[in-house]
Structures are given as structure tokens and as C-alpha cells.
Amino acid sequence: MRSSDSPMSAEDPHGADIAVSLEGVVKKYRDQTVLHALTLKIARGEFLTLLGPSGCGKTTLLNLIAGFAEADNGEIFIDGQLVTNLPAHQRHIGIVFQNYALFPHMNVERNIGYGLKMRGVPAQEIAERVADVMRLVKLDGLGQRKPKELSGGQQQRVALARALVIRPKVLLLDEPFSALDKSLRGAMQVEIRDIQRQLGVTTVFVTHDQGEALSMSDRIAVMSAGRIRQIATPDALYRSPQDPFVASFLGDVNILPAQYHGEQGGMIQLRLGSGLISVNRTRLVGQQHDGGRLDVYIRPEQIQLEPLHAQSVLSGTVVNHVFQGDHINTYVDVDIPVEGRQRVMVRSPGLQAMQQWPVSAVVGLALPDDGISIFQPEARHA
Ligand code: ADP
Ligand code: MG
């Protein structure tokens, strides 16, 4: 269905109204398809993150929304208006580039006011709006400096102010923290999110950093090779990945080979290691299986080390402990019949695990009753 009428009639993420809508958007560079018929709706005021490895098409998608690149097929709507063929400067979008792209010869005030000047806003109003936005991003007193006289964090504030001063319909942020050191990055993440909430501006944020995505977003669209693999809240993506790529890209995960054994009362029995585990059937992603091999996905913090006993489903030998400050990762080599040896990561909150289970200790691994995801191995290549 081609909807040149209105995207507002389409189903939306939260019953909210839609600020940006992409419908079947295709982008090719020569014969390489970079975005495959991508459909995406972003609610007004939402902070949506595009998360995926380098080269998966995140920047390309931002460029299409901004109007810096042209789609080969499909339609883009902003506030219900079809903008697919509208030039960038008429789309009313604020963008912060990875390298900030400030004008080196202009001072801070003129950098920030540039977009307003281009739009023919009167000088008096420019001065007021620039002063307001400089207060918002905490740049007071730095108006006369040139970009090279600013720290990295201050340059980023200028880039953000320049994007916000035009009161954009949509704010696009392309890996804005990549040039900042780690401690500054955390502070800027909180600050940008605060400002975004205060203004209620619809925001599309691009990152390849899963921690950044999990901590900042209303929803995350996980991308790989020009496709959205899953789009959901951070919590839902982490707890119920619907795609093996999503499960392994977002947070650490152990993937263990298991064998289908049977089912009863909504539970699937799987043969895993030397025993059987029972998993709620709803955790079988896609609900299909062929009665053979299934992959069990378990987060490291869901496994507990325990003294080896006769009923232990999995057992193994401690190979290493890695101290991480607020937690410890313990690596355990587990022998799985037929499949062979597999290294499993277990995460514990304190130092106790390290003292109780020294390297080369033999341990049992206790698995959780829920929260495990099961995938058909073929799905990994889907
Ligand atoms: P990301 O931002 O996720 O790292 P990009 O959107 O920059 O990825 O790139 C997606 C794919 O498109 C990559 O394979 C990249 O090489 C290709 N690509 C991006 N821009 C161009 C271009 N202007 N010309 C040709 N290929 C491009
Ligand atoms: Mg990019």
C-alpha cells in the first residue's frame, strides 16, 4: 500500500502521534543496497537510537531524514508532510555531526546563529535566541571565542546549540560522543538527555555503543547490514531479544547448544550438558523448531556458581576471574556431551566468587528458571 494520504493513520509505537515516518525506504550506492526497504515510525518527543556495527547504514539513514541523500525508493514523512523530495534546508532539522563541523573562522555566537541568519531572522531576535540557547547548553560567557579556543566538550555544546536554536522538528545526533573522553562522555549523555526532555524535541541518535544506547533511549532500533533487526525499549531488547543478532550485540550472552527433548504444559524440555532443563515455550523465539538442535541464550548474570552436586545440569572448571570493579566475570570451561568444550562467562556481584572458587576449581552452574531465550540455530543466518 502506498500511503500518500497520511502516515498518521498507520499504527504507531505508543498510540502517540508520529513525528517521523519512513515507509519502505531503499538506498543504494551503485549496486550495493545499503538500506533494504526500511520502515520506521518515531513518536513525537521520542528519543530513538539507531544502534548497530560500523557500516550497517546508520549515517545513511540520518542523511535520508535530513535530506543530504536521496532515497532510491520509499517515502519519508516529517510531521505528516511528505518530504522525500524536499531539499534539506526546507525540512527544518537540526543535526550534530560526529566531528561537529563548526565554522572555524566564526566565533561561538556566529556559529550558533548561522542557521537563523540564513533563514532571514531579524538580528535582534537572533541575538535573543542565541543567548537563550547558550544558557541552555551552559556556554554563557564564551560567545566571542573561536572553536579552536574551546575544549572538546564545549565544541560539542556549540554544535548542539547550533542544531537546537532553529527549534527543529527533529534533532539528529550522529555519534556525538565519539570524540570525547570516557568521563566527559557520561556527563554529556546525561546532559543531552535532560535538554532533550526539557524541550521535548524528537531525537534520532546514532551510536555503535550498546551501553550508550541502553542508558539513553526511549526505544532502540538495532540495525545490521541495512535492516532493522528489532525495535523496542532497552529493557525489552535486553530481556526478550527476538533475534540472535540482537541477543549477542546488546550485552554479553552465552550461547549453549541443546537438544530438544519434549514438551509438557507450556514448557519445553531441553537436554543441556548432563541434564534436562525446562523452559517456558514462550521463550522459543519464532515458536518453531524441528525437534533437533536448539541454541540456548543465557546472560552471564543469570548463571550462578554452586558446589558441584549430582543434579548439576552443567559443570566445569574455573579458568579465570576478571575483576571489573562492580562485578567479577568468571570464565568456566564446561564439557558438553557430543558438542565438546565450551567456555561460559558467569557474572557475580562481589569478590566472594573469586575467593570461593579459585582457578581450576570444579564448579556446578545453576541456571535460572526464566529469562533464557531459545533460538533455532538456522535463525542465526536469517
Ligand atoms: P554507519 O553509519 O552505520 O557506519 P554508513 O551509513 O556510513 O554506516 O554506511 C553504510 C554503507 O554504505 C557502508 O557499506 C558504506 O561503505 C556505504 N556508503 C556510505 N556512504 C557512501 C557513499 N557516499 N558512497 C558509496 N558508499 C557509501
Ligand atoms: Mg556512521
Side-chain angles (χ1 to χ4, degrees), residues 29-311:
Y29 285 114
R30 283 177 232 99
D31 46 6
Q32 185 199 3
T33 302
V34 177
L35 296 175
H36 300 267
L38 197 138
T39 292
L40 171 66
K41 292 186 195 323
I42 306 169
R44 192 178 310 284
E46 182 172 22
F47 192 105
L48 179 97
T49 296
L50 306 176
L51 172 69
S54 178
C56 72
K58 306 180 296 295
T59 295
T60 301
L61 185 50
L62 280 198
N63 285 339
L64 290 174
I65 297 173
F68 299 141
E70 223 176 292
D72 292 281
N73 206 345
E75 289 169 341
I76 302 172
F77 298 85
I78 296 173
D79 281 350
Q81 181 195 7
L82 182 66
V83 300
T84 318
N85 298 311
L86 205 64
H89 66 272
Q90 288 177 23
R91 294 191 187 190
H92 218 73
I93 278 173
I95 183 160
V96 175
F97 298 97
Q98 200 164 349
N99 57 6
Y100 313 145
L102 301 177
F103 305 115
H105 58 286
M106 289 186 198
N107 68 22
V108 167
E109 278 175 8
R110 287 179 55 220
N111 260 288
I112 297 173
Y114 182 80
L116 296 177
K117 197 171 169 198
M118 288 299 106
R119 286 169 171 79
V121 175
Q124 178 60 30
E125 188 184 337
I126 294 180
E128 286 165 14
R129 282 170 66 173
V130 168
D132 282 348
V133 81
M134 282 180 63
R135 217 166 299 127
L136 182 71
V137 304
K138 305 203 181 91
L139 278 173
D140 315 68
L142 298 177
Q144 302 309 311
R145 299 242 190 123
K146 295 277 176 62
K148 67 171 188 299
E149 298 164 338
L150 299 173
S151 71
Q154 289 166 336
Q155 288 178 30
Q156 174 165 67
R157 289 164 197 271
V158 178
L160 181 63
R162 189 177 61 177
L164 290 175
V165 78
I166 63 163
R167 294 175 189 150
K169 290 178 178 171
V170 185
L171 175 65
L172 305 177
L173 305 170
D174 194 354
E175 313 231 12
F177 306 120
S178 50
L180 303 180
D181 61 51
K182 198 160 186 283
S183 58
L184 192 54
R185 201 178 289 188
M188 284 306 290
Q189 284 168 17
V190 174
E191 212 172 304
I192 286 195
R193 188 63 166 114
D194 276 356
I195 291 171
Q196 186 269 341
R197 275 210 189 90
Q198 256 181 63
L199 301 177
V201 59
T202 308
T203 300
V204 186
F205 171 72
V206 162
T207 184
H208 62 269
D209 181 317
Q210 42 122 346
E212 214 161 87
L214 285 172
S215 66
M216 293 183 74
S217 319
D218 289 320
R219 285 190 307 159
I220 302 171
V222 182
M223 293 179 66
S224 116
R227 289 190 165 86
I228 293 179
R229 304 297 289 257
Q230 188 177 353
I231 176 162
T233 62
D235 180 65
L237 281 179
Y238 190 80
R239 287 176 199 280
S240 304
Q242 294 302 302
D243 179 290
F245 175 82
V246 173
S248 3
F249 195 75
L250 224 80
D252 294 314
V253 71
N254 295 292
I255 306 175
L256 300 173
Q259 202 65 31
Y260 178 80
H261 184 74
E263 33 197 304
Q264 206 174 28
M267 303 296 279
I268 292 189
Q269 273 90 45
L270 298 171
R271 180 162 293 286
L272 176 66
S274 57
L276 287 179
I277 60 167
S278 242
V279 184
N280 199 308
R281 204 183 194 293
T282 57
R283 304 301 302 188
L284 173 63
V285 176
Q287 299 303 308
Q288 298 295 318
H289 67 81
D290 57 13
R293 158 88 185 264
L294 288 166
D295 282 337
V296 167
Y297 283 55
I298 312 177
R299 301 276 181 207
E301 68 274 17
Q302 295 182 304
I303 308 177
Q304 271 188 319
L305 300 174
E306 61 177 12
L308 183 61
H309 56 80
Q311 282 79 45

